[in-house]
């Protein structure tokens, strides 16, 4: 048995050598729920240690970045149909609709829609069509176009052998 005591506020405390660690899937809102549940059950929050993962440090997702990939056009029985959403609860989530083309103009990117779309000069390149792979991009080509120095932010370049050996001494 681990054992427990009751603190001066009446909450149960684990043995001082024991703590519970929760570090996965936590954000500000879930942290509040977790603590309310623990204290509601009569346990002290001093028993807990929380990790500080991405949910607490940087909650980045398609909503916070205002970025999502959606269908904009469908062809049904040979007829082009615009596909879009325009939610009344969040006008910021209105999507582009119809045939789209992307163009670099005046140092920025511009989307042209519907009759203004110019597919012939668009930066959009069909990669798949009707289940067939049309272009097999190499990762080095993709990162080259994006001017990305490393293929992943998690890849740490290897230290030269001499420097690595010096760190061991």
């Amino acid at each position: 048995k681990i054992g427990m005591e009751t603190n001066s506020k009446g909450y149960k405390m684990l043995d001082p050598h024991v703590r519970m660690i929760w570090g996965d899937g936590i954000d500000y809102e879930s942290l509040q729920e977790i603590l309310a549940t623990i204290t509601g059950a009569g346990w002290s929050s001093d028993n807990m240690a929380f990790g500080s993962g991405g949910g607490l440090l940087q909650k980045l997702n398609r909503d916070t970045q205002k970025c999502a990939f959606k269908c904009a056009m469908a062809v049904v029985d040979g007829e082009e149909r615009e596909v879009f959403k325009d939610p009344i609860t969040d006008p910021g989530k209105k999507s582009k609709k119809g045939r789209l083309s992307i163009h670099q103009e005046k140092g920025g990117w511009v989307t042209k829609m519907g009759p203004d779309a110019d597919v012939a000069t668009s930066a959009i390149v069909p990669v798949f069509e009707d289940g067939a792979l049309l272009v097999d991009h190499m990762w080095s080509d993709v990162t080259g176009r994006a001017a990305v120095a490393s293929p992943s932010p998690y890849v740490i370049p290897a230290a030269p052998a001499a420097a690595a050996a010096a760190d061991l001494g």
Side-chain angles (χ1 to χ4, degrees), residues 62-79:
R62 65 188 182 97
D63 289 333
T64 61
Q65 299 302 297
K66 298 286 187 188
C67 177
F69 294 92
K70 303 195 180 303
C71 176
M73 186 188 79
V75 178
V76 179
D77 294 328
E79 178 187 339

Side-chain angles (χ1 to χ4, degrees), residues 43-55:
W43 288 90
S44 171
S45 61
D46 283 348
N47 293 308
M48 295 295 299
F50 294 100
S52 58

Side-chain angles (χ1 to χ4, degrees), residues 12 14 18 39-40 50 52 56-57 68 75 85 97 114 118 122 131 135 139-140 153 157 165 168:
K12 296 180 268 187
L14 292 171
V18 179
T39 56
F50 294 100
S52 58
L56 289 172
L57 295 174
V75 178
K85 73 179 206 175
K97 58 185 176 179
D118 183 3
S122 177
V135 180
W139 182 245
S140 58
L168 296 176

Side-chain angles (χ1 to χ4, degrees), residues 22-27 30 34 55:
W22 192 329
D24 188 41
I26 295 177
D27 60 18
S30 66
I34 293 165

Side-chain angles (χ1 to χ4, degrees), residues 84-104:
F84 64 99
K85 73 179 206 175
D86 189 4
I88 59 173
T89 57
D90 189 351
K93 289 188 175 183
K94 181 178 181 178
S95 64
K96 295 177 175 20
K97 58 185 176 179
R99 185 171 294 278
L100 305 176
S101 62
I102 309 290
H103 306 271
Q104 192 167 22

